[in-house]
Amino acid sequence: MPRLSEVIAALDALWPPSRAEQWDAVGTVCGDPDAEVSRVLFAVDPVQEIADEAVKLGADLIITHHPLYLRGTTTVEAGTFKGRVVHTLIKNDIALHVAHTNADTAAPGVSDALAGALDLRITGPLVPDPSDPEGRRGLGRICELDHPETLREFAARAAAWLPPTAQGIRVAGDPDMPVRRVAVSGGSGDSLFEQVRAAGVDVFLTADLRHHPVSEAREQSRPLALVDAAHWATEWPWCEQAAAQLDAISERHGWGLRTHVSRTVTDPWTAHAPSVTPPSISGAPN
């Protein structure tokens, strides 16, 4: 079995920490470099449910997309919810490693996995990494459908093929408009509207879209359509992709690692109540 330090070296080759944004907190959060690793759990969020799942599974290492301490901390006291995660992991000899924005821009990265989950053909990055001479790395992906479909059909594709969440799929645009070129970005993507407009796509699928950016993007870029999925749902496909990458490394080195992808839904939204048609616009009595 490999040592943790050997596995981390392989992960850093896949997602170099130097390619993370300066504000990000990636890398190994806890773990003994000399400890042996035999079982690895992949998940989006380093929350208590995932820590408990790792304990039950007998995992030696958790790899998550989201950082545990993005903004730093002065305590890991077990009375705090993040401190409790740390205590659970250390008590059970479980390491935690994070690949966040360095996995977003990787090739393959988070948006490649998202495009793959939707069966889209990738033509290139939405925001290319200027340091990549091959032009494969960068934020987001520009994709094409093999056959045009309506926005309604494309939204149904996303609803059917992405992991189900309480939010479901929100759409801004004419449901009957034709869709052929698509931009996707796993996670929060409303900072990329300028690049989306420049790409000349029909629809942009991402997460965490807010009222004002969406309103402005729609007014500036008609007939650009927007499809908003849950943040967790757009990034979960990366876990399967990353597990497959580590499987390939393990086989190449003869490590015999056993990788698992958590099916625990850690999206924070838990329910959705559909709107109903009110008796008047205000719904208030005269």
Side-chain angles (χ1 to χ4, degrees):
M1 289 187 291
R3 294 178 300 164
L4 176 63
S5 59
E6 295 175 286
V7 178
I8 296 304
L11 299 178
D12 285 347
L14 289 176
W15 315 299
S18 61
R19 293 189 186 139
E21 296 290 339
Q22 289 187 344
W23 50 263
D24 206 358
V26 302
T28 305
V29 178
C30 63
D32 180 351
D34 293 325
E36 291 186 336
V37 175
S38 64
R39 196 182 294 265
V40 183
L41 178 65
F42 286 82
V44 175
D45 298 298
V47 295
Q48 189 64 43
E49 286 177 289
I50 298 301
D52 293 340
E53 182 178 348
V55 173
K56 182 180 291 187
L57 182 66
D60 309 294
L61 169 63
I62 302 173
I63 299 171
T64 65
H65 182 51
H66 290 153
L68 179 63
Y69 288 107
L70 182 57
R71 293 175 176 81
T73 187
T74 59
T75 179
V76 292
E77 192 264 322
T80 64
F81 74 93
K82 292 187 178 184
R84 184 182 169 210
V85 170
V86 173
H87 279 251
T88 299
L89 298 180
I90 292 176
K91 283 181 178 179
N92 291 279
D93 296 321
I94 302 171
L96 172 62
H97 187 81
V98 174
H100 193 212
T101 53
N102 49 331
D104 286 333
T105 58
V110 171
S111 292
D112 291 286
L114 174 58
L118 297 171
D119 196 25
L120 303 176
R121 180 162 45 86
I122 297 171
T123 61
L126 176 62
V127 186
D129 180 345
S131 69
D132 177 18
E134 296 182 0
R136 297 176 58 230
R137 294 197 307 266
L139 281 176
R141 293 295 183 265
I142 300 172
C143 312
E144 291 187 354
L145 293 165
D146 289 332
H147 304 284
E149 58 190 40
T150 66
L151 177 59
R152 179 185 290 105
E153 291 170 329
F154 180 76
R157 171 196 294 253
W161 293 0
L162 290 180
T165 61
Q167 171 184 314
I169 302 295
R170 299 190 300 174
V171 179
D174 177 359
D176 294 318
M177 69 173 282
V179 169
R180 184 65 181 262
R181 280 174 53 82
V182 180
V184 301
S185 181
S188 304
D190 63 12
S191 65
L192 302 177
F193 283 140
E194 181 178 347
Q195 291 86 350
V196 169
R197 284 193 291 271
V201 297
D202 304 308
V203 61
F204 178 37
L205 184 149
T206 188
D208 296 341
L209 293 180
R210 297 168 294 157
H211 174 89
H212 292 296
V214 167
S215 177
E216 292 175 7
R218 290 278 297 143
E219 293 300 321
Q220 293 180 37
S221 313
R222 292 183 187 277
L224 173 68
L226 302 171
V227 175
D228 181 47
H231 190 120
W232 174 85
T234 64
E235 293 181 332
W236 184 85
W238 172 81
C239 295
E240 291 194 322
Q241 175 182 277
Q245 289 177 279
L246 185 55
D247 282 338
I249 293 170
S250 173
E251 184 175 352
R252 190 162 61 245
H253 290 287
W255 286 347
L257 291 178
R258 288 168 290 178
T259 61
H260 305 263
V261 175
S262 175
R263 262 62 182 177
T264 302
V265 178
T266 55
D267 186 82
W269 300 104
T270 58
H272 171 74
S275 299
V276 295
T277 303
S280 65
I281 293 178
S282 67
N286 294 329

